[in-house]
Amino acid sequence: MATAAGNGASAGAAATIDGGIGVAWHDDGSIVFAGPVDALPWHPTIGTPERGCLVPGFVDCHTHLPFVGWRADEFEARLRGVSYKELHGGDGGIFRSARLFAAASDDEVLEFSRPLLHEMATHGTTALELKTGYGLSVDQELRAARLARRLAEEARQTCVVTLLAAHAVPAGMSRQEWVRAACTELIPEAGRRRLADAVDVYVEDIAFSIEDLEAIATAAADAALPLRVHADQLGDSGTAAAAARLGARSADHLNHCSPEGVSALAGSATVAALLPASTFFLRGRPAPVRSLRDAGVPIALASDANPGTSPVVSMPEVIAMAAGVYEVPPLEALTATTVNPASVLGLADRLGTIEPGKRADLVLLEETSFAQVPYRPGHDPVVATIVGGELVPP
Ligand code: NIG
Ligand code: FE
């Protein structure tokens, strides 16, 4: 039986309690006791499974929900040799998802996204990020944030909304024109209306520059919103170091992060959010996990759930890909999918570990060893998910 250790982002491993863990919580879902089962203050009501492993609920700190529609044909085209950048340049990719989003009604977007949130819950995700980014205009981005807030209110999970203020340069606008609109209209308006909890930027040669990132970081700070950054995914642009310098909560992807980028992250409070599923689907270069670990950079693992590069919503699947593609050992993956992403989302004081005062967000796994999760990809290891003390129905 295992619980993740520590408070806030940690580069350390998980602590385990063998021989039976008991967790008790109040009606409001807050934990009052976590420790050896013999010391439980009252009789178990949810159950006493013969075997298994109880871990904190998974926290998915990087998703692109809400969106509407899949892009499996692009996945097939990539397998025939067309590159992600070519699809992006040819009206596909992010632009296609933006067209689908603009053409769909609010209800259609919600009806598409809702079952994915439920699927996440049944696979053990008890808190997650929702991100805009398929709006590509001030009005549509604000609409995406509003729909994300709607989903967050309905969902059993704790959800945090990130405004991906710069994802692709909208047609008919220059990069500079969009960054100006994002900084002077979109971010201030989202801040005023409390539609977002953080701001994100996609820095890439097909998207935005470090200069754009700096402008957006200033606008985010003015709106009192923390920063997240898509960094060095398709090439090394020095963005990991910029994210660290700007005090971003996380630098995400990091496939092409340089040794200088690793050092900069090590000297900062920025968490490395790694997304092995998109690396797997793009057959991309793996992030420098060993260097990050050796430098003591805290690592989070997330799904990057999106219709283009990662149609994956299951954290057990992500943990399996983290093992297969990134060589992340099981208990390190547990820390990277619970306490560390909770800190990326600013939720570490409320969830991410099993301890008194935190929310009873728990996952019961069928085997006693957490290693079973990455060991059997494709097999669902989750017996039960408990969110805020309540069992998620299958
Ligand atoms: O995180 N990198 C940019 N955004 C997404 C992909 C978005 C898409 O293709 O729809 C990502 O991989
Ligand atoms: Fe992403």
Side-chain angles (χ1 to χ4, degrees):
M1 308 255 173
T3 70
N7 226 332
S10 103
T16 64
I17 298 175
D18 293 318
I21 182 173
V23 183
W25 55 86
H26 283 303
D27 286 344
D28 69 0
S30 62
I31 296 175
V32 286
F33 171 87
V37 70
D38 303 339
L40 255 183
W42 53 75
H43 289 300
T45 47
I46 281 200
T48 48
E50 278 296 293
R51 55 191 278 112
C53 172
L54 191 72
V55 298
F58 297 125
V59 180
D60 189 348
C61 71
H62 187 137
T63 90
H64 287 262
L65 277 159
F67 57 83
V68 60
W70 297 109
R71 297 183 347 233
D73 54 342
E74 292 184 8
F75 165 68
E76 279 191 88
R78 289 206 304 273
L79 293 176
R80 287 195 307 270
V82 185
S83 75
Y84 180 70
K85 285 189 181 181
E86 282 165 335
L87 290 163
H88 178 84
D91 250 20
I94 295 166
F95 295 110
R96 180 161 165 218
S97 286
R99 284 197 305 278
L100 291 168
F101 181 77
S105 68
D106 288 1
D107 281 344
E108 282 166 340
V109 175
L110 295 170
E111 275 159 28
F112 187 87
S113 304
R114 222 176 255 133
L116 295 174
L117 260 84
H118 181 70
E119 192 178 337
M120 288 172 158
T122 59
H123 285 82
T125 298
T126 54
L128 64 135
E129 180 209 44
L130 298 167
K131 217 195 281 284
T132 72
Y134 294 120
L136 304 189
S137 73
V138 172
D139 286 348
Q140 288 291 336
E141 277 296 310
L142 291 172
R143 174 181 173 236
R146 237 180 23 246
L147 291 176
R149 281 282 192 242
R150 277 269 298 279
L151 278 175
E153 274 162 29
E154 291 175 8
R156 27 180 105 245
Q157 296 108 318
T158 304
C159 300
V160 162
V161 177
T162 301
L163 187 74
L164 178 45
H167 197 192
V169 182
M173 272 183 132
S174 71
R175 209 162 42 78
Q176 289 82 352
E177 282 168 338
W178 173 253
V179 172
R180 202 170 313 123
C183 292
T184 60
E185 298 173 50
L186 175 59
I187 295 170
E189 187 63 10
R192 259 193 304 276
R193 286 160 61 182
R194 298 192 185 286
L195 288 175
D197 307 301
V199 171
D200 195 348
V201 182
Y202 180 30
V203 182
E204 203 71 70
D205 59 359
I206 56 166
F208 294 87
S209 68
I210 289 185
E211 206 186 331
D212 302 332
L213 167 66
E214 287 165 348
I216 287 171
T218 303
D222 289 347
L225 293 170
L227 186 67
R228 309 275 310 269
V229 187
H230 278 68
D232 303 327
Q233 179 188 14
L234 304 176
D236 173 23
S237 52
T239 305
R245 171 168 53 79
L246 293 167
R249 282 255 179 89
S250 68
D252 302 47
H253 287 286
L254 298 175
N255 299 67
H256 293 263
C257 179
S258 65
E260 293 74 30
V262 173
S263 308
L265 289 171
S268 78
T270 303
V271 173
L274 305 181
L275 312 171
S278 46
T279 303
F280 175 83
F281 275 96
L282 291 176
R283 282 158 296 131
R285 170 165 134 175
V289 180
R290 266 168 213 267
S291 314
L292 289 164
R293 182 187 298 122
D294 291 348
V297 179
I299 289 170
L301 291 165
S303 69
D304 196 19
N306 77 77
T309 62
S310 181
V312 171
V313 298
S314 152
M315 290 302 278
E317 203 71 40
V318 169
I319 291 165
M321 290 184 186
V325 185
Y326 282 1
E327 296 178 8
V328 176
L331 287 185
E332 187 180 328
L334 178 57
T335 309
T337 51
T338 53
V339 61
N340 288 358
S343 125
V344 170
L345 297 184
L347 298 172
D349 56 335
R350 290 159 55 188
L351 47 88
T353 54
I354 305 176
E355 60 185 308
K358 288 201 178 178
R359 205 169 123 92
D361 286 353
L362 308 165
V363 178
L364 180 64
L365 300 164
E366 68 183 353
E367 296 290 340
T368 48
S369 162
F370 190 75
Q372 202 76 16
V373 175
Y375 176 62
R376 295 189 63 201
H379 172 75
D380 180 10
V382 175
V383 175
T385 307
I386 294 167
V387 185
E390 289 187 15
L391 209 49
V392 174

